[in-house]
Amino acid sequence: LARNAVRYAGGGRVDFGVEEPASGDAARRTLVARVSDAGPGIRDLAAVLEGRYRSPSGMGIGLAGARRISDTFTIDSAPGRGTTVTVGRHLPAATPPQTVQSLQRVAEEVLRHASRTPFDEVQAQNQELLRALEELRARQVEIERLNLELQETNRGVLALYAELDDKAEALRVASEQKTRFLSNVSHELRTPLATMVNLSRILLGSLGTEFTSEHRRQAEFIGKTAQSMSEIVNDLLDLAKIEAGRTELRPSEFAVADFLAALRGMFRPIATSPDVAFVVDAPDEPITMHTDEGRLAQVVRNLVSNALKYTERGEVRVRVERDGAADAVVFHVSDTGIGIDVADQERIFEEFTQLENALQRRVKGTGLGLPLSRQLTKLLGGTITVNSERGAGSTFTLRVPRRLPEKREGADAAAEAVRDA
């Protein structure tokens, strides 16, 4: 800094001092040197401080270097009114208080190391230049090392991308094969299962009067088994259609009150346990929806059916409310059943997943209902979540837009649901 003052201003002044922290301040004392001159000032101060300036008579890195190795640095300069640079270094915490005499010794030590001849000055500058070149060389070596590591990393990333592409293609082929298999098997099984269900009804109807109690029990068993298998096949076919992007939505306008009345009527013959009450709360206000009523009913029926299966006593309640801010309708299906552990609340939405519990041995399930419900909910533009605790019941929340988004009215909706899944 002193060399700059001599070179560009013909001379200057260096003042030393110690800045004491304010009372109660945790900051350390700072040894300060202030170099001031009355020269022409600095025109391109920002470029100089950033190290982008190259001086015709030097390297132009003096100020930037001083700034890097100082704990505090301020500069005041403008063309025509000189330059004042103040730099500081924090003193160690154990340093005793400074006096005028100790600061005078600092000044004398600086003068003792000052260049006495032009040759000494040139030698000092050459030493600084050599140090700067050595620093640049070290940086260059580090940059080359980092570039080599980056090249190796890039090769690894490219190999990983290629491997991921291969696996993605294999998964796509496997998914297509699974979808084709499910679709074909479902179509092949639907007809014989429907025949079995109808034959069991005929046997129990016109011919049932001639059956013994054991014959009737066996015929009922055949009918229930065929009906259960038929439901599994239908769920598999629905999942296959969604994954293939072939599920068509048929939106229509309907009142939520009528929708709930139909739901109540459908489950009244089923919810016959004296220990479980089935309650459907009407919404506080009339609500109309424009969406696929059949698909929405399929999801809600599935939630209610599961709630009734896994509730031994208490109640199963369906409650509906409107979210005006999001223009959505929210269905809450809550029960006082066995509940679900937090760790398992995402697993239940995976295909063919059934949790171990005391009721599972008595209640038959396929592990397809909730995965299918989530897929159908995505088709409708909504979400389905669960809040549950083991032994304290469950609440499934179905949030669906009041009006089906136009982009979801068709096969594109199915493809989008599969991508989201």
Side-chain angles (χ1 to χ4, degrees):
L1 296 178
R3 185 184 299 129
N4 281 350
V6 172
R7 176 177 296 156
Y8 297 110
R13 177 183 177 88
V14 181
D15 295 300
F16 290 96
V18 174
E19 289 186 353
E20 298 286 347
S23 178
D25 194 349
R28 294 155 56 184
R29 294 194 302 274
T30 305
L31 175 64
V32 175
R34 181 176 295 106
V35 182
S36 56
D37 64 60
I42 303 175
R43 295 184 178 275
D44 228 347
L45 183 58
V48 171
L49 293 178
E50 293 173 6
R52 295 184 286 106
Y53 177 76
R54 291 294 177 265
S55 168
S57 56
M59 294 182 64
I61 60 173
L63 282 177
R67 186 184 192 184
R68 282 198 301 271
I69 64 174
S70 301
D71 293 326
T72 63
F73 180 93
T74 59
I75 183 169
D76 179 23
S77 181
R81 63 177 179 85
T83 301
T84 299
V85 182
T86 304
V87 294
R89 292 285 289 179
H90 295 316
L91 296 174
T95 302
Q98 302 300 307
T99 63
V100 174
Q101 290 77 13
S102 64
L103 294 177
Q104 183 62 37
R105 286 196 296 273
V106 172
E108 291 173 355
E109 185 69 14
V110 172
L111 289 175
R112 189 173 68 82
H113 286 284
S115 301
R116 300 299 181 182
T117 65
F119 176 78
D120 293 336
E121 174 66 15
V122 171
Q123 188 178 36
Q125 291 189 24
N126 286 340
Q127 290 174 351
E128 292 182 6
L129 179 60
L130 288 174
R131 285 195 295 270
L133 290 175
E134 180 62 23
E135 182 180 350
L136 289 174
R137 189 193 67 79
R139 289 185 179 181
Q140 181 66 29
V141 171
E142 179 67 12
I143 290 173
E144 291 176 355
R145 184 185 66 80
L146 292 176
N147 283 338
L148 182 60
E149 290 183 3
L150 184 60
Q151 291 174 3
E152 294 176 351
T153 302
N154 286 339
R155 284 195 292 269
V157 170
L158 290 175
L160 181 60
Y161 274 134
E163 184 178 350
L164 289 175
D165 286 341
D166 292 341
K167 290 186 176 181
E169 179 63 20
L171 287 174
R172 186 189 64 80
V173 172
S175 178
E176 289 181 354
Q177 291 176 346
K178 183 194 76 170
T179 300
R180 191 179 302 112
F181 171 78
L182 291 177
S183 180
N184 292 339
V185 169
S186 300
H187 279 296
E188 293 296 329
L189 291 177
R190 290 182 78 181
T191 300
L193 287 173
T195 302
M196 291 173 63
V197 171
N198 292 330
L199 286 175
S200 65
R201 289 174 180 170
I202 293 173
L203 288 174
L204 291 172
S206 60
L207 303 178
T209 55
E210 303 176 6
F211 280 2
T212 65
S213 58
E214 178 63 20
H215 290 156
R216 176 173 288 278
R217 190 176 71 84
Q218 293 296 336
E220 290 176 349
F221 177 74
I222 293 172
K224 289 180 179 179
T225 302
Q227 183 63 40
S228 177
M229 288 294 296
S230 180
E231 292 174 0
I232 295 175
V233 168
N234 288 335
D235 287 345
L236 286 172
L237 188 58
D238 284 338
L239 284 171
K241 286 181 178 179
I242 291 175
E243 292 182 357
R246 296 175 182 173
T247 301
E248 292 291 337
L249 299 180
R250 297 177 176 83
S252 61
E253 195 89 14
F254 61 92
V256 172
D258 296 338
F259 177 87
L260 295 178
L263 182 71
R264 191 184 297 110
M266 178 181 299
F267 280 96
R268 184 177 291 115
I270 302 174
T272 56
S273 173
D275 298 324
V276 180
F278 178 59
V279 182
V280 179
D281 293 331
D284 297 332
E285 57 176 324
I287 304 175
T288 60
M289 298 185 68
H290 181 81
T291 189
D292 191 321
E293 184 178 5
R295 294 301 185 183
L296 179 62
Q298 188 175 353
V299 175
V300 177
R301 285 199 308 267
N302 207 327
L303 298 179
V304 173
S305 177
N306 281 348
L308 290 171
K309 283 180 184 179
Y310 298 108
T311 303
E312 293 184 293
R313 60 184 57 86
E315 70 171 19
V316 172
R317 182 177 294 270
V318 180
R319 181 171 57 87
V320 183
E321 62 184 356
R322 179 175 178 179
D323 184 354
D327 195 23
V329 180
V330 184
F331 296 81
H332 302 279
V333 179
S334 57
D335 62 64
T336 57
I338 60 177
I340 307 167
D341 287 332
V342 175
D344 295 325
Q345 290 179 11
E346 277 301 313
R347 289 184 57 226
I348 60 175
F349 291 101
E350 298 175 2
E351 295 177 15
F352 304 105
T353 297
Q354 291 182 301
L355 305 180
E356 290 295 329
N357 56 72
L359 290 179
Q360 193 66 52
R361 300 180 184 91
R362 290 181 293 158
V363 177
K364 300 299 182 182
T366 64
L368 292 174
L370 287 176
L372 177 59
S373 296
R374 174 168 277 189
Q375 294 279 36
L376 291 174
T377 300
K378 288 180 179 179
L379 282 177
L380 299 175
T383 59
I384 183 171
T385 57
V386 59
N387 183 19
S388 182
E389 184 179 345
R390 172 70 70 174
S394 306
T395 298
F396 284 81
T397 301
L398 172 67
R399 181 182 297 271
V400 181
R402 196 175 64 84
R403 302 190 66 83
L404 181 69
E406 292 183 2
K407 65 178 181 179
R408 296 184 178 270
E409 297 185 10
D412 292 342
E416 184 175 342
V418 172
R419 287 196 302 270
D420 292 342

